[in-house]
Amino acid sequence: MADTVIYEAHVAGLTADRPDIASRGRFQGLASDKIIDHLGRLGVTAIEFLPVHAFVNDRFLVEKGLSNYWGYQSIGFFAPEPRYLASHDIAEFRAMVDRFHSAGIEVILDVVYNHTGEGNQMGPTLSFRGLD
């Protein structure tokens, strides 16, 4: 653990300003040689992704014409976020993880169980309300 170098990243944010990367903002873009090489040059041994699982846009954001960038309103902890998939094939997520592992980089997922898309006592009720 003493030799671990963790790089925290957002799926879309890490590739947003990289016109040289195909599939920017997607799992495929993260698995590109350019990103893997960049992290290797930095000495990264593990990458920690901010939420990558399915999430919703909060009502107050939608009413303002905005969307949930960070992904902390999860509705499916075992489902990859569809907007991060280039072809809507969830195998893209596994391929990305496999690519990092083959480069010697661990993958850590940021999961926050108390930030679900359930909202407050007014709802909506999706799947987690009342769990605690």
Side-chain angles (χ1 to χ4, degrees):
M1 192 64 186
D3 297 326
T4 300
V5 176
I6 300 173
Y7 188 102
E8 185 176 41
H10 183 273
V11 173
L14 183 57
T15 59
D17 292 333
R18 298 287 306 261
D20 58 331
I21 295 190
S23 296
R24 287 186 294 168
R26 309 279 193 272
F27 296 125
Q28 287 180 347
L30 292 173
S32 70
D33 288 340
K34 292 181 182 201
I35 294 295
I36 299 288
D37 291 346
H38 171 69
L39 296 174
R41 282 191 303 277
L42 293 175
V44 171
T45 62
I47 187 162
E48 178 181 357
F49 289 113
L50 283 101
V52 297
H53 35 267
F55 59 87
V56 296
N57 292 319
D58 300 280
R59 181 180 296 138
F60 78 92
L61 290 174
V62 173
E63 290 171 356
K64 294 178 181 182
L66 302 171
S67 64
N68 179 352
Y69 178 78
W70 298 107
Y72 283 104
Q73 298 299 61
S74 301
I75 58 168
F77 292 110
F78 300 106
E81 170 54 41
R83 60 189 106 180
Y84 298 153
L85 298 168
S87 67
H88 302 292
D89 182 352
I90 61 172
E92 291 176 31
F93 178 81
R94 177 180 229 153
M96 175 201 67
V97 171
D98 287 346
R99 178 73 174 94
F100 278 109
H101 286 172
S102 69
I105 299 173
E106 297 175 71
V107 176
I108 301 167
L109 302 181
D110 183 352
V111 180
V112 183
Y113 293 106
N114 66 330
H115 284 267
T116 70
E118 302 280 30
N120 58 20
Q121 75 277 12
M122 302 301 290
T125 297
L126 301 170
S127 58
F128 301 111
R129 185 177 299 288
L131 224 92
D132 63 345

